[in-house]
Amino acid sequence: IFVFNANFTSNQRRIRITNIQMKETSDDRKKTHEAVTLDRLHLIDAAIVRIMKARKTLEHRDLVGEVMNQLKFPARSVDLKKRIESLIDREYLERAEGTVSKYNYLA
């Protein structure tokens, strides 16, 4: 038989501890954003090289369309253009002679 003892006292105090959620500071958020951006730039480069390696020559709009389809995150066309220029500077791609909007893959 259980009986409620109203006179019971204890020296221990009951402390309620709530889950303390880590609050992300603006510095942490900025570092995370920079890391994600850098990773995405590498993914964009890899997608462009993969497509150009398969196609050898491609128009700018076709290349941008295929890269957008392959990427699993939303990318701006400005970012894609910068990455294409970077690949041209690093001699992975070249502009086709006589046109500004056509690229050739350099192996």
Side-chain angles (χ1 to χ4, degrees):
I1 293 181
F2 292 100
V3 179
F4 178 72
N5 184 359
N7 296 327
F8 178 78
T9 60
S10 173
N11 292 335
Q12 294 180 339
R13 302 241 187 255
R14 185 174 276 204
I15 299 173
R16 188 173 188 176
I17 301 174
T18 60
N19 289 341
I20 300 172
Q21 295 180 351
M22 266 184 39
K23 297 205 175 184
E24 189 177 25
T25 64
S26 62
D27 292 338
D28 293 340
R29 193 174 302 117
K30 187 182 287 185
K31 287 179 184 175
T32 303
H33 183 67
E34 288 172 1
V36 168
T37 302
L38 186 63
D39 287 344
R40 286 182 174 184
L41 294 180
H42 294 304
L43 290 173
I44 292 171
D45 285 350
I48 292 170
V49 169
R50 189 170 44 247
I51 291 167
M52 289 303 294
K53 192 173 186 180
R55 297 290 180 92
K56 303 295 184 206
T57 301
L58 207 56
E59 289 282 333
H60 177 78
R61 60 183 162 73
D62 297 332
L63 177 61
V64 170
E66 286 197 37
V67 170
M68 292 285 204
N69 287 337
Q70 281 195 11
L71 296 178
K72 295 183 177 167
F73 56 89
R76 300 180 318 193
S77 60
V78 174
D79 293 334
L80 294 178
K81 188 172 182 178
K82 287 180 184 176
R83 298 320 303 159
I84 290 170
E85 291 298 326
S86 172
L87 289 170
I88 289 172
D89 291 342
R90 291 184 283 161
E91 298 181 355
Y92 282 91
L93 302 177
E94 69 176 359
R95 293 190 189 279
E97 289 185 30
T99 63
V100 178
S101 64
K102 197 169 194 176
Y103 305 108
N104 295 328
Y105 176 72
L106 301 175

